[in-house]
Amino acid sequence: MSQVVLVTGASSGFGNLIARTLARGGHTVYASMRDTAGRNAPRVAEVRAWAEESGVDLRTVELDVLSQVSADAAVRQIVNECGRLDVVVHNAGHLTVGPTEAFSTEEIAGLFDTNVLGTHRVNRAALPVMRDQGQGLLLWISSTTVFGGYPPFMGAYAATKAAVEGLLRTLAMEVSRFGIETATVVPGAFTAGTEHFPHASHPADSSLAVVYDGRYDGLDAQVGRRLAELTPADAPTAQAVADAVASVVATPHGQRPFRTLVDPVGDGAAEVLEVTERVRVDFAKRLGIDDLWHPSAG
Ligand code: NDP
């Protein structure tokens, strides 16, 4: 069935591929971006031209996840145009690379603002609509950084992804009795096909970074390359993440998998997830609340 979908951070990378793939699958998709009249205006034009050429219902909408006003306006526009909002894909996110000590607290707070609080703003805008509908899907782009092996110099980023996991796992149970389902797609490191690594930001104060560079022989600058070297030639491309999202959306409501792992590097998250998923369900059973892992009608 055709769904109305909002994808955050759709100017590039997974978000852009997810928006196009879902639109190709027959859904009405809002590829949301920030600064649509400025820096991202060429991306908006590209998406619109592609949608027209492909004959799909792919639209763009302004959404800066740093602003509640922006999130509210985006959801309002979608509901005004379509009368509903079925799926939110929480994709917008940013990577920082550098010695953890070298980042100011403001820089780390800024990363949490985008990667963690950004999802909360969008949820605060979308959940009232989904609760009224008695149905919806929150689909989160998580990360194997939370579960698998992990390199140094990405500490702040890893902390934000772990924080998002904490939020989504509990929120999933809190919204299920409103008919809202939660699913996660968990990508491993994709060093190509997205702007994640190329657009990563570094500590503004480079003096400490130089100290670490000397002691670690520039290891922070090599992390991306080392991950790329671990990626087999026939590993899934970034499109596999979009295909995983499309598969979750296509699955009937109430039957969607909570976890879909797409890991080109094989960082061990698969093994860890096997255990965490068992524990997640078993503990809920002991508490007598395992029904909360599935949406129920009100
Ligand atoms: P990209 O850098 O290509 O995409 C990130 C997107 O987030 C961009 O469209 C960017 O928009 C957007 N964004 C950043 N800040 C904001 C904001 N304030 N408001 C709205 N949009 C914003 O990287 P990926 O596609 O790789 O990343 C997408 C998601 O996948 C992230 O959540 C990331 O953590 C996750 N992920 C990535 C992995 C990888 O290895 N690539 C692995 C695991 C998870 P703009 O162009 O305006 O900056």
Side-chain angles (χ1 to χ4, degrees), residues 136 175-177 179-182 253-255 291-297:
V175 297
S176 63
R177 284 195 185 161
I180 300 166
E181 191 165 26
T182 295
H253 190 68
Q255 294 170 37
D291 63 299
L292 298 186
W293 287 118
H294 297 285
S296 53

Side-chain angles (χ1 to χ4, degrees), residues 64-84:
D64 183 342
V65 300
L66 291 171
S67 158
Q68 188 65 56
V69 171
S70 177
D72 291 344
V75 169
R76 204 178 314 117
Q77 183 182 327
I78 295 168
V79 174
N80 284 343
E81 290 177 5
C82 300
R84 63 184 212 273

Side-chain angles (χ1 to χ4, degrees), residues 62-283:
E62 169 76 28
L63 201 176
D64 183 342
V65 300
L66 291 171
S67 158
Q68 188 65 56
V69 171
S70 177
D72 291 344
V75 169
R76 204 178 314 117
Q77 183 182 327
I78 295 168
V79 174
N80 284 343
E81 290 177 5
C82 300
R84 63 184 212 273
L85 172 59
D86 301 308
V87 182
V88 169
V89 182
H90 285 298
N91 167 79
H94 188 66
L95 172 68
T96 53
V97 178
T100 303
E101 183 193 352
F103 288 96
S104 67
T105 47
E106 289 76 15
E107 284 173 314
I108 293 183
L111 194 67
F112 271 83
D113 207 359
T114 299
N115 292 3
V116 185
L117 301 181
T119 65
H120 187 59
R121 291 187 185 96
V122 175
N123 283 337
R124 297 258 303 161
L127 284 173
V129 176
M130 290 182 169
R131 281 191 288 102
D132 281 354
Q133 291 169 175
Q135 188 157 325
L137 169 66
L138 299 180
L139 202 166
W140 304 72
I141 305 303
S142 179
S143 172
T144 60
T145 57
V146 185
F147 308 102
Y150 197 67
F153 303 116
M154 295 185 193
Y157 172 74
T160 64
K161 291 313 247 190
V164 168
E165 271 289 333
L167 264 183
L168 78 85
R169 282 181 218 175
T170 46
L171 184 69
M173 293 187 280
E174 292 167 10
V175 297
S176 63
R177 284 195 185 161
F178 295 100
I180 300 166
E181 191 165 26
T182 295
T184 60
V185 168
V186 188
F190 283 81
T191 52
T194 86
E195 304 301 336
H196 193 57
F197 285 91
H199 282 181
S201 43
H202 306 276
D205 174 5
S206 56
S207 57
L208 252 183
V210 170
V211 173
Y212 275 84
D213 247 21
R215 187 61 63 109
Y216 281 82
D217 295 328
L219 180 59
D220 64 339
Q222 299 163 24
V223 164
R225 178 173 58 72
R226 287 180 188 229
L227 286 168
E229 283 167 4
L230 277 187
T231 309
D234 61 351
T237 64
Q239 179 61 41
V241 172
D243 292 340
V245 167
S247 160
V248 171
V249 171
T251 302
H253 190 68
Q255 294 170 37
R256 293 174 171 119
F258 188 67
R259 298 283 185 200
T260 305
L261 178 69
V262 190
D263 180 10
V265 173
D267 64 14
E271 288 94 316
V272 176
L273 275 171
E274 229 179 272
V275 177
T276 61
E277 287 313 280
R278 181 162 38 78
V279 168
R280 174 176 72 83
V281 174
D282 285 355
F283 190 63

